[in-house]
Amino acid sequence: MTLIDIDSVPQSTADERAARLDAAGAAWSDRITRDPSSAQLTYRVDGRGSGAVASEIRAGNHRFVVDEPAGLAGDDVAASPVEYALGALISCQIVVYRLYANALGIVVDDIDITAEGDLDVRKLFGIDEAVRAGFSAVRLTVSLTGPESAERYEELRRVVDAHCPVLDLFANPVPTTVALG
């Protein structure tokens, strides 16, 4: 299920994107300089069960559906939770690549990223409690095109990997609490 056609996303030139990235960076820098506590953000997303195992998710003004394939009891009307997680990782990487390419003066014409995650469903179904419930491994393949040298793109990759919030979520334990309300 596609809620927004990709063709409806406004296109921008490299110069327009650079101007937006520069303006956002300057605005955040000024804001945080005036009030360091403004750097602390809290995101809230709400969800409600629907269908067999689907979820309707609300994130600010946006709504989307998450489901499972039929083999995992779903109606297959949308991507699965783990596919959305990989999609979140890809989209965050793209944002941070654009941000730091602009900041470092590295020209990137196109960015294409593929994410693969290995998941053993035995824990999900209560078959083997010894295996991990989540991904046992995640692999990202990042393809950058442009006029820069391989060394410059490798420099960019290192900076992006150090600054990508969703990559950090995948790479490091996050204190998480669950409460019944």
Side-chain angles (χ1 to χ4, degrees), residues 74-100:
D75 296 308
D76 202 17
V77 299
S80 73
V82 294
E83 290 167 325
Y84 271 105
L86 293 173
L89 176 57
I90 289 171
S91 62
C92 193
Q93 286 270 295
I94 289 171
V95 169
V96 179
Y97 266 97
R98 287 180 171 164
L99 176 70
Y100 278 95

Side-chain angles (χ1 to χ4, degrees), residues 102-121:
N102 185 64
L104 297 171
I106 297 174
V107 177
V108 174
D109 293 334
D110 287 308
I111 304 170
D112 290 299
I113 302 177
T114 300
E116 293 180 318
D118 300 327
L119 190 88
D120 185 331
V121 297

Side-chain angles (χ1 to χ4, degrees), residues 24-41:
W28 274 101
S29 181
D30 291 346
R31 177 181 175 180
I32 294 167
T33 298
R34 285 190 313 276
D35 178 9
S37 70
S38 70
Q40 303 300 313
L41 304 177

